[in-house]
Amino acid sequence: MPKPAKPSVKKPVGEQPENPAKLILDGAVTDNQWNLLPLGGEEEVTAENLAPGKVILPLSVWLELRDQLQERGEDIGVWLDSDETVDLIGEYAAELPLIAAHFPAFTDGRAFTVGRLLRERYGYTGEVRAVGNFIRDQLTYLTRCGFNAFAYQGDQPLERLLESTSDFTDSYQAAVDQPLPIYRRRALA
């Protein structure tokens, strides 16, 4: 298994993902139990001044505080910005109950790769959450790539978005949700 890569130099702060009060998790609308810490606040974040409870940290903050936050285990998640790869977390992914991937715009598809690599390369079994500006039409494909949570920022009711997590009844290609392509499944039938 690949080792975590070295983090890049601190980057300028762009648009930050929102943290809605409700989200879709494992096919149901539920309350959001996590707080998401945006990147680039004025106050330096330390293990001592980090808010209690479940917190999703920017990758750069988590990498700095990882050793100091070991005691909080199940209360610490990480979010990756669109220019950060899963390899920056590497085998440490297994320590995290939640990893979120940020979509700064629905046209930026790099976060799809985050879901797929977490599930297929690192065998990650925790929550993979989409945050940011993804759209309803992408929910099926996000599910196929291994996402199981959606912190939707749009105006549509989450109950209506649930339908879009299964827009298609079957697919030709293999993916996280169906590892066999259709020709192999038909041969086994």
Side-chain angles (χ1 to χ4, degrees):
M1 185 172 288
K3 296 280 185 197
K6 297 283 183 196
S8 61
V9 180
K10 280 199 165 185
K11 58 187 179 182
V13 177
E15 183 178 342
Q16 302 292 295
E18 295 176 10
N19 193 41
K22 292 205 173 267
L23 56 84
I24 296 173
L25 174 63
D26 294 326
V29 175
T30 185
D31 292 331
N32 185 356
Q33 304 293 319
W34 291 82
N35 292 310
L36 188 142
L37 184 70
L39 187 62
E42 292 180 15
E43 185 179 339
E44 181 182 355
V45 177
T46 65
E48 291 75 32
N49 72 7
L50 189 62
K54 297 177 181 265
V55 181
I56 307 171
L57 299 173
L59 175 66
S60 60
V61 173
W62 178 74
L63 287 171
E64 279 183 36
L65 302 177
R66 181 179 162 268
D67 292 337
Q68 300 162 49
L69 295 173
Q70 290 293 321
E71 293 175 10
R72 293 192 54 182
E74 291 296 311
D75 286 343
I76 301 297
V78 170
W79 67 272
L80 297 169
D81 213 344
S82 60
D83 63 339
E84 298 169 330
T85 68
V86 172
D87 295 332
L88 295 169
I89 297 176
E91 63 189 25
Y92 299 136
E95 299 174 3
L96 299 164
L98 182 154
I99 298 175
H102 180 217
F103 288 79
F106 79 92
T107 54
D108 187 339
R110 292 176 284 183
F112 282 91
T113 305
V114 169
R116 190 138 189 187
L117 289 177
L118 279 171
R119 300 291 192 205
E120 293 180 344
R121 181 179 292 171
Y122 296 102
Y124 183 70
T125 58
E127 179 179 331
V128 180
R129 180 181 293 195
V131 296
N133 294 304
F134 58 91
I135 60 174
R136 178 181 179 163
D137 291 350
Q138 295 173 316
L139 292 180
T140 292
Y141 305 108
L142 287 166
T143 302
R144 298 216 67 220
C145 289
F147 285 84
N148 67 325
F150 309 96
Y152 182 68
Q153 294 182 182
D155 296 330
Q156 298 179 37
L158 294 178
E159 290 76 12
R160 296 199 53 207
L161 266 62
L162 276 173
E163 302 165 9
S164 292
T165 58
S166 56
D167 277 344
F168 304 103
T169 57
D170 209 348
S171 59
Y172 287 102
Q173 297 88 12
V176 171
D177 66 337
Q178 176 49 265
L180 293 176
I182 197 165
Y183 72 90
R184 302 260 330 259
R185 284 181 270 141
R186 285 181 177 165
L188 295 172

